[in-house]
Amino acid sequence: MVLTKEEKADGPGYTSGQLDEKTPIDSDLGQSDEVGVVRDGIAVHPQPTADPLDPLNWSTFKKHVILAIVMYLYFMFTYITTTTVPSFPELQEQLGISYSQVNWTVAIPALGLALGPLFWSSLADIYGRRIVFLTGTLIAFVATIGAAAANDYGGYMAARFFQGFGVSPGATVGLAIVTDLFFEYERGQKLGLWVLAIDTGLLAGPIIGGFMDLVSADWIQWLTVILFGALLILEFVFLPETLYPRNHMLARMPLENPGGTDIEKNGIPKDDPCEVELKRTTKLFILNIRPLPGMRHPKPWDSVLRFILTFKYPVVVIGVLIYCFAWYWWILSIITMIPAAYVQYSPQIQGLLFLGLLLGTLFSEVFMSGRLSDSIVTKLAKRNNGVRQPEMRLWLAYPAALLSASK
């Protein structure tokens, strides 16, 4: 049986407006060999629709407000692990623990950061990005209150773990939001800013924590409570759902005559969103707790399975291990030894020791990353018959590796 365009969009046995989370969706829906919207002669990915509710069609201002919120959470991702480092001596005295034990107060939230994405990632593909961000930030907010009020080592460590677990959606779910909002040719710069947030949090944490220690070690955590509270408000007010049923909507609200349309010269014409009754993005309930309609959903445990399956690919495993060692383990091992190595300095001076690393990170992102990466990929894609490949972004890694090794 040959289905009409509307029947194919809604799925067999469904009519317009009846699509829900159980509807079978054709994985090739809305895809064709025809060249669609282009930029500089290269087809953009993903292809936009004529739907004003499509995140790709939102205003530049709105997209960057959302990006700023994602960066805020990703900043907190590492900020919570390192901001307490200058207060290690006070924590030792307050909790009655050794220096080795106080080091574990940095490792435990890092464990929450590592395990959290395995839990949150699939849920974000089922229920949406917004509810996962709100739930995670709320968990981190409550856990930070617990850490500020803790009087014993066990309670403090439990609170620190849930701090990391709650903020962990900033990694995988934050990355998903960035890819929901921006075309592939924009992502070098946007992901560069996203990565800058985690680097800044790692290095700004000890600087801010060192000066908060002038008040007390507890106030380092109370300031973090305030930061999470402000973030929670921003997410609730300014973070809409960005997970979008693109395949379904490409069939229902395609661009008219998209072939060869240049996105920068002509823009994207938009239709009336009410043409399709399917609830999506900003039309969803303010706290959506149901699977988003119009798309297939993974099982809650699929993110764990995908993680295990990555070990089939040695190149990926080696790359991940090198990144984890060179970035997180190496820097954290140095950070946690600062109070012991420079015991003669005050916590404020110890925090300022990270200022050079912070300035170097900012400089490299502005001049040696995002936009430069996008420019290189565009030039290489033109030489490759208009096809972008992920490996084209690796060229900037080589001088960075040589520069780091030379130090």
Side-chain angles (χ1 to χ4, degrees), residues 157-228:
M157 292 291 275
R160 291 286 280 164
F161 172 81
F162 282 103
Q163 273 186 301
F165 184 80
V167 81
S168 62
T172 52
V173 182
L175 175 62
I177 292 176
V178 176
T179 59
D180 290 339
L181 291 171
F182 297 101
F183 293 102
E184 186 181 39
Y185 70 85
E186 302 175 291
R187 291 178 189 168
Q189 182 198 28
K190 310 312 176 186
L191 292 179
L193 293 171
W194 175 72
V195 172
L196 179 63
I198 189 176
D199 292 341
T200 304
L202 184 76
L203 301 173
I207 298 174
I208 297 172
F211 285 94
M212 289 306 301
D213 192 61
L214 288 170
V215 183
S216 72
D218 290 341
W219 257 98
I220 294 176
Q221 294 291 357
W222 287 119
L223 174 63
T224 309
V225 171
I226 295 171
L227 293 174
F228 274 127

Side-chain angles (χ1 to χ4, degrees), residues 140-162:
F141 175 76
V142 173
T144 306
I145 295 175
N151 294 317
D152 62 88
Y153 186 58
Y156 184 78
M157 292 291 275
R160 291 286 280 164
F161 172 81
F162 282 103

Side-chain angles (χ1 to χ4, degrees), residues 132-303:
V132 168
F133 253 51
L134 287 168
T135 304
T137 303
L138 180 61
I139 291 173
F141 175 76
V142 173
T144 306
I145 295 175
N151 294 317
D152 62 88
Y153 186 58
Y156 184 78
M157 292 291 275
R160 291 286 280 164
F161 172 81
F162 282 103
Q163 273 186 301
F165 184 80
V167 81
S168 62
T172 52
V173 182
L175 175 62
I177 292 176
V178 176
T179 59
D180 290 339
L181 291 171
F182 297 101
F183 293 102
E184 186 181 39
Y185 70 85
E186 302 175 291
R187 291 178 189 168
Q189 182 198 28
K190 310 312 176 186
L191 292 179
L193 293 171
W194 175 72
V195 172
L196 179 63
I198 189 176
D199 292 341
T200 304
L202 184 76
L203 301 173
I207 298 174
I208 297 172
F211 285 94
M212 289 306 301
D213 192 61
L214 288 170
V215 183
S216 72
D218 290 341
W219 257 98
I220 294 176
Q221 294 291 357
W222 287 119
L223 174 63
T224 309
V225 171
I226 295 171
L227 293 174
F228 274 127
L231 175 59
L232 194 58
I233 294 171
L234 290 173
E235 289 175 352
F236 188 82
V237 177
F238 297 111
L239 180 65
E241 181 54 58
T242 63
L243 182 58
Y244 183 73
R246 184 159 307 281
N247 282 347
H248 175 69
M249 296 305 299
L250 279 170
R252 299 298 305 278
M253 296 184 70
L255 291 175
E256 295 294 332
N257 303 317
T261 300
D262 192 293
I263 191 172
E264 291 194 341
K265 294 179 181 178
N266 304 319
I268 299 175
K270 303 176 183 65
D271 294 337
D272 183 357
C274 295
E275 289 183 7
V276 179
E277 296 180 7
L278 183 72
K279 291 186 180 299
R280 56 203 185 276
T281 59
T282 56
K283 295 299 183 181
L284 291 163
F285 182 62
I286 194 168
L287 289 175
N288 178 69
I289 55 174
R290 298 182 60 190
L292 297 188
M295 62 190 75
R296 285 198 181 101
H297 301 295
K299 301 296 183 183
W301 54 84
D302 276 0
S303 54

Side-chain angles (χ1 to χ4, degrees), residues 310-322:
T310 58
F311 287 89
K312 292 169 54 179
Y313 309 99
V315 173
V316 176
V317 175
I318 292 171
V320 169
L321 291 177
I322 291 174

